Amino acid sequence: MESKADVAHVECVAQLARHLASVPHVHIAHPRRSAVAIVIRLVISTYPPYTPAQTPEATMQSLHAFLNHPLVSSSQAQVLFIQRAQHSRDPWSGNIGFPGGKHELCDTSDQDTAERETREELGLDLKMGFVHLGQLDDVAVYLLGQGTRMAVSSHVYLQTQEQSELCVSDEVASAHWIDFSCMVQRAERPVRPFSREYKSIGANIAARIFPKYAQTQPWWFRIASVGLGSLHYTVLPLPYTAEHSVTNKVLEAGPNSVRVSDHVRFASDTELYLWGISLCMVSELVDMSLPVAPNRSVASPWPQLGSWLWTDINWVANTVHRVMWSTQRRKPYTTSNDFFVSYF
């Protein structure tokens, strides 16, 4: 049986485009919205011509011809990630994710928001030399004790022309092109909670419930912090190289220099630590790139309680977690002879 990690990257991109075009995405209606761009490029020396199209059917035909070109058919795919610059007012300060930001009055759609923010943050114009493959499911930004604060829309793009080097703004500490195989291989070998390779990012439960007192920390807050403990979010490590990275030289900051505190870092000298809603997006991206849905996500985005507190509750929660950690699947379970695989 062919390993999912051995599936050709171009076939993954083709499968992704077919699923995004065929299955409607889940929209979360919320007045506060943000959007991100998930940008994919193929590592090739020369880009063949790509014919832009106006209809979904014509776009799929142009994409099919582009991906089956001899210069492209055996190429490797990479996905663009950024590390946000450290900023006291940015709730995602230092996080690994995708270029994007909040919806502004000038934006007519979530797609406009994703394209505008990518242009502002990286100098990348997604209207030129890129094809919009489609949209992943909206993700809700949920804060403990505060409910859903925002809906995030994610739009997937494929580069079809040679582009100039990324120009990172002061909102971005660094940008990285990560090999798609680092994510696809996790469909068969996901990061399991509490395994040997397990890493997590902790969040103080008391600070989530009482954010106004997180800085002053009165005596009752400190007691609550000890009693409630922390939530631990699974991290998906993504290896990166300097060759495929761009660092903000003005900030003189690299991936390993941005931290939230002495105990929380979102990168090492060799890896980016992906978690939270960006991890949810990557899980769906991989799922939609494969012809048959994997049994598990690449890593569980669900939080776990601390291992030494709330023993009974923790045991029950993590037992359920181990059994039911798969996210809701937008893509139907398919076979090799299914319509989605034999689209053309």
Side-chain angles (χ1 to χ4, degrees), residues 47-83:
Y47 276 83
Y50 173 82
T51 305
Q54 301 299 321
T55 66
E57 294 78 9
T59 297
M60 293 300 291
Q61 292 175 359
S62 295
L63 186 61
H64 179 64
F66 176 79
L67 294 176
N68 283 277
H69 193 281
L71 292 173
V72 178
S73 58
S74 60
S75 60
Q76 301 295 300
Q78 295 179 329
V79 181
L80 180 61
F81 290 88
I82 65 169
Q83 181 174 35

